[in-house]
């Protein structure tokens, strides 16, 4: 079956760096999204990777390894406002989005 | 302002009482989708629409209906709601290229929290 796995919860300290991992098993692969979702709010787009490697966008970077079925989201210089859930979603061969359950990131001062 | 709107934002209803959740986008997007989000399960797609008059079932369509008579609107209909449809619902839209489904960044509405007693 198709599956997206990511940790349920992570804790990090303000100013530090955190890496949120995502592994996927999909029938075919056409890219991977990361979304941020603050509690009670809508998900908002962070990044899209379809080729191997690292995509950097300011404090946030996303990495993809297609051979390993693996991605991670790297957040640098953590701020309290980064406390949120981070959703990983893979696109299968039918271009359907397969969503992970999300990783709740807690930032401590 | 480019946005996706949903109404109502909160709804408490009783089993069997038909309800409609509206969704509208002002970005001229072809693709629209409905999701439900439950704790520990992530987003699950209910229905999606590639364009006007074209709708398809997602992963969890049972108990739901949709229509796409106009490009901007994509209402979600619960003909006979049941308690297991208590959830947080999101509508989303994206522009469509090359005939792909939800390939591009999706823009989400603010969500509708539905409770069915």
């Amino acid at each position: 079956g198709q599956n997206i796995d990511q940790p349920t919860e992570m804790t990090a300290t303000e100013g530090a760096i955190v890496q949120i991992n995502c592994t996927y098993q999909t029938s075919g692969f056409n890219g991977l999204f990361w979304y941020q979702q603050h509690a009670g709010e809508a998900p908002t787009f962070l990044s899209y990777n379809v080729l191997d490697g690292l995509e950097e966008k300011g404090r946030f970077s996303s990495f993809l390894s297609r051979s390993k079925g693996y991605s991670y989201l790297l957040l640098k210089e953590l701020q309290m406002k980064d406390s949120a859930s981070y959703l990983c979603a893979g696109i299968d061969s039918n271009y359907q989005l397969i969503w992970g359950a999300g990783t709740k990131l807690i930032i401590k001062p | 302002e480019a946005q996706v709107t949903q109404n109502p934002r909160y709804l408490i209803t009783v089993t069997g009482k038909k309800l409609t959740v509206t969704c509208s986008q002002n970005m001229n997007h072809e693709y629209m989708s409905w999701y439900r989000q439950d704790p520990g399960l992530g987003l699950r797609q209910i229905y999606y629409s590639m364009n006007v008059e074209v709708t398809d079932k997602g992963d969890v369509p049972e108990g739901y209906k949709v229509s796409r008579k106009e490009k901007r609107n994509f209402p979600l209909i619960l003909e006979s709601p049941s308690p297991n449809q208590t959830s947080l619902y999101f509508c989303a839209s994206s522009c469509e290229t090359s005939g792909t489904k939800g390939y591009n960044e999706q823009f989400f509405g603010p969500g509708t929290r539905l409770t069915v007693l």
Side-chain angles (χ1 to χ4, degrees):
Chain A
Q2 306 200 97
N3 201 40
I4 301 281
D5 285 317
Q6 48 182 136
T8 303
E9 187 174 297
M10 298 181 70
T11 303
T13 304
E14 190 177 14
I17 299 173
V18 71
Q19 178 175 309
I20 302 174
N21 296 326
C22 170
T23 57
Y24 63 88
Q25 289 178 309
T26 58
S27 55
F29 179 77
N30 283 294
L32 188 137
F33 286 102
W34 282 97
Y35 280 78
Q36 181 190 58
Q37 185 178 25
H38 285 101
E41 297 183 9
T44 55
F45 171 81
L46 286 177
S47 68
Y48 170 71
N49 295 69
V50 67
L51 300 176
D52 286 353
L54 189 68
E55 297 268 347
E56 296 187 72
K57 271 188 188 180
R59 293 189 301 113
F60 291 13
S61 302
S62 56
F63 171 84
L64 177 68
S65 169
R66 295 181 65 141
S67 62
K68 295 181 180 178
Y70 167 69
S71 172
Y72 66 72
L73 182 69
L74 191 70
L75 291 74
K76 301 177 185 176
E77 301 169 16
L78 285 169
Q79 302 175 9
M80 297 304 293
K81 68 178 182 178
D82 297 330
S83 292
S85 288
Y86 292 85
L87 313 180
C88 174
I91 307 170
D92 70 10
S93 57
N94 293 318
Y95 292 95
Q96 291 298 317
L97 274 173
I98 313 298
W99 292 86
T103 299
K104 182 178 181 180
L105 177 63
I106 299 167
I107 310 295
K108 295 185 175 178
Chain B
E1 180 190 354
Q3 60 182 350
V4 179
T5 56
Q6 293 179 229
N7 282 292
R9 294 289 312 280
Y10 302 90
L11 179 61
I12 301 175
T13 189
V14 295
T15 299
K17 185 177 182 181
K18 180 179 178 180
L19 66 93
T20 299
V21 184
T22 64
C23 173
S24 184
Q25 50 93 4
N26 62 1
M27 295 170 279
N28 202 36
H29 284 165
E30 294 86 359
Y31 180 92
M32 296 186 75
S33 179
W34 274 104
Y35 295 93
R36 60 178 290 174
Q37 188 175 38
D38 303 290
L41 293 180
L43 287 165
R44 291 183 292 167
Q45 190 176 53
I46 303 170
Y47 270 94
Y48 64 94
S49 170
M50 297 283 287
N51 214 324
V52 176
E53 301 292 1
V54 180
T55 61
D56 279 299
K57 294 178 181 179
D59 299 318
V60 289
E62 294 77 22
Y64 304 94
K65 286 174 58 177
V66 293
S67 68
R68 188 90 182 274
K69 295 185 171 63
E70 306 161 288
K71 198 171 189 179
R72 63 183 294 127
N73 295 324
F74 190 44
L76 179 70
I77 303 154
L78 284 73
E79 294 270 4
S80 183
S82 62
N84 64 12
Q85 292 178 298
T86 293
S87 187
L88 179 58
Y89 290 86
F90 287 104
C91 179
S93 73
S94 68
C95 58
E96 202 52 37
T97 57
S98 305
T100 57
K101 307 171 189 176
Y103 180 84
N104 293 299
E105 170 193 353
Q106 293 196 27
F107 294 84
F108 285 81
T112 296
R113 189 167 292 281
L114 172 66
T115 302
V116 183
L117 301 175

